[in-house]
């Protein structure tokens, strides 16, 4: 999975570079955001997956390796940053198609360059809250991954789920906002298609440039929809689990889990010897 993730992102970067050269160096704001999304995902893959591989290779938990906080921070940071970039892409398309005059006047390419430092800075600060005492990172069985404590912190005799609820609510807001922007794009494209159809019925030729523009917007929408759906599939179970105050994986001592695993392995070895 690690190799596939790295290879997929590197392939995407190569294709984007070929596209940029094919356009003689002319790039759009959407192109900048897509490139940033691929780089963000590549960084996440390279910074998270090797930690799991090391844990399995050494047969040690992340807590024993003193990597629990690092892994949990990386997981929360890259999940949130990826979702925010996807939202920025959806918002950019909604403004470009739904409000073209506003887009041409106020939205420039430099907005994409500014967007990434802003997104990264916000995500770093927000995801460091558990390290500063607001919220908590804990290890989950089988000890190869860490994440936010979804059961809540025990403070002064009561359980606080504030941080996990905030994180889940932020993800849910970004998902709903991104879907809303995609719906705006779909409605705008349908109206654009109807206008072109009306022109054809009125014996007015549709320019080649309008046809190309329509095709490009549909391609952008398909790409954005696929990425949004993929991330929703990964994010919704977490947001649902936090909202109903359930835990996907219990943050308990993993020794019992390791003992069961060893017994299963020994049983399988005995059966092979027979």
């Amino acid at each position: 999975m690690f190799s596939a993730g790295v290879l997929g992102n590197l392939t995407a970067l190569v294709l984007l570079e070929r596209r940029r050269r094919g356009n003689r160096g002319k790039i759009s704001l959407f192109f900048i955001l897509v490139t940033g999304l691929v780089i963000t995902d590549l960084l996440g893959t390279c910074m998270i997956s090797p930690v799991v591989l090391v844990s399995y290779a050494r047969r040690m938990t992340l807590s024993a390796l003193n990597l629990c906080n690092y892994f949990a921070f990386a997981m929360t940071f890259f999940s949130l940053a990826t979702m925010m970039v996807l939202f920025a892409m959806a918002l950019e398309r909604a403004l470009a198609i739904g409000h073209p005059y506003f887009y041409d006047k106020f939205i420039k390419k430099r907005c994409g360059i500014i967007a990434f430092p802003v997104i990264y800075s916000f995500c770093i600060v927000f995801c460091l809250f558990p390290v500063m005492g607001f919220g908590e990172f804990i290890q989950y069985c089988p000890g190869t991954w860490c994440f936010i404590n979804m059961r809540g912190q025990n403070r002064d005799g009561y359980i606080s789920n504030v941080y996990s609820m905030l994180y889940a609510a932020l993800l849910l807001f970004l998902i709903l906002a991104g879907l809303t922007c995609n719906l705006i794009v779909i409605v705008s494209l349908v109206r654009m298609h109807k206008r072109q159809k009306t022109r054809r019925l009125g014996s007015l030729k549709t320019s080649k440039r309008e046809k190309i523009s329509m095709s490009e917007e549909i391609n952008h929408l398909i790409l954005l929809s696929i990425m949004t759906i993929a991330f929703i599939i990964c994010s919704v179970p977490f947001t649902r689990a936090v909202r109903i105050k359930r835990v996907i994986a219990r943050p308990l001592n993993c020794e019992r889990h390791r003992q069961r695993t060893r017994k299963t392995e020994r049983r399988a070895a005995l059966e092979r010897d027979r």
Side-chain angles (χ1 to χ4, degrees):
M1 291 297 291
F2 170 62
S3 300
V6 173
L7 182 61
N9 283 310
L10 290 176
T11 304
L13 287 175
V14 171
L15 293 175
L16 287 169
E17 177 61 19
R18 289 182 62 183
R19 177 70 180 272
R20 186 187 69 82
R21 291 183 179 180
N23 292 336
R24 298 178 181 178
K26 295 180 180 179
I27 58 174
S28 63
L29 176 56
F30 188 80
F31 181 91
I32 294 173
L33 294 174
V34 171
T35 304
L37 178 66
V38 174
I39 293 173
T40 301
D41 190 62
L42 178 62
L43 288 174
T45 302
C46 293
M47 294 178 69
I48 294 174
S49 296
V51 178
V52 180
L53 297 178
V54 169
S55 177
Y56 276 110
R58 295 190 178 183
R59 295 188 176 184
M60 297 174 66
T61 64
L62 294 183
S63 294
L65 293 169
N66 294 321
L67 291 173
C68 189
N69 282 344
Y70 164 80
F71 187 90
F73 168 77
M75 283 279 289
T76 53
F77 171 80
F78 285 106
S79 297
L80 185 58
T82 302
M83 196 66 242
M84 292 190 75
V85 175
L86 280 172
F87 167 67
M89 292 168 60
L91 181 61
E92 189 271 342
R93 285 295 86 198
L95 291 175
I97 300 174
H99 305 279
Y101 297 109
F102 176 86
Y103 182 87
D104 290 337
K105 188 174 182 179
F106 296 104
I107 308 299
K108 307 297 180 183
K109 291 179 186 178
R110 64 174 177 270
C111 294
I113 299 173
I114 296 172
F116 284 98
V118 172
I119 289 173
Y120 285 175
S121 298
F122 173 80
C123 292
I124 288 172
V125 173
F126 189 82
C127 295
L128 279 176
F129 282 165
V131 179
M132 296 183 287
F134 181 64
E136 184 182 19
F137 290 145
I138 59 170
Q139 179 177 274
Y140 288 83
C141 287
T144 55
W145 67 291
C146 298
F147 201 63
I148 299 167
N149 184 355
M150 292 178 282
R151 282 186 168 179
Q153 278 183 289
N154 191 343
R155 286 186 173 276
D156 300 326
Y158 70 93
I159 301 298
S160 174
N161 278 323
V162 176
Y163 182 76
S164 59
M165 290 293 290
L166 277 176
Y167 188 85
L170 183 56
L171 281 182
L172 184 61
F173 168 77
L174 292 171
I175 289 170
L176 294 177
L179 289 175
T180 301
C181 291
N182 287 338
L183 288 175
I184 292 173
V185 172
I186 292 172
V187 171
S188 299
L189 288 175
V190 170
R191 290 177 178 174
M192 189 184 301
H193 176 71
K194 286 182 177 180
R195 284 197 297 267
Q196 291 182 0
K197 190 175 180 180
T198 303
R199 289 179 182 178
R200 286 196 297 269
L201 292 175
S203 299
L204 293 173
K205 292 183 179 180
T206 303
S207 67
K208 185 178 180 180
R209 185 177 179 181
E210 286 180 338
K211 289 181 179 179
I212 294 174
S213 177
M214 182 75 171
S215 176
E216 286 182 351
E217 297 301 345
I218 292 174
N219 290 336
H220 290 162
L221 178 62
I222 292 172
L223 174 64
L224 188 56
S225 299
I226 291 173
M227 291 187 294
T228 303
I229 290 170
F231 200 80
I232 287 173
I233 292 172
C234 299
S235 302
V236 166
F238 167 72
T239 57
R240 181 176 179 274
V242 173
R243 286 185 65 83
I244 61 177
K245 296 184 180 180
R246 291 174 60 185
V247 181
I248 298 172
R250 294 184 178 182
L252 301 176
N253 189 339
C254 294
E255 185 61 33
R256 186 182 302 174
H257 177 86
R258 287 196 294 271
Q259 290 175 357
R260 287 199 300 266
T261 303
R262 293 194 194 103
K263 289 180 181 179
T264 303
E265 290 175 350
R266 285 196 295 268
R267 194 180 300 115
L270 289 173
E271 290 177 356
R272 284 195 301 269
D273 293 338
R274 291 175 185 176

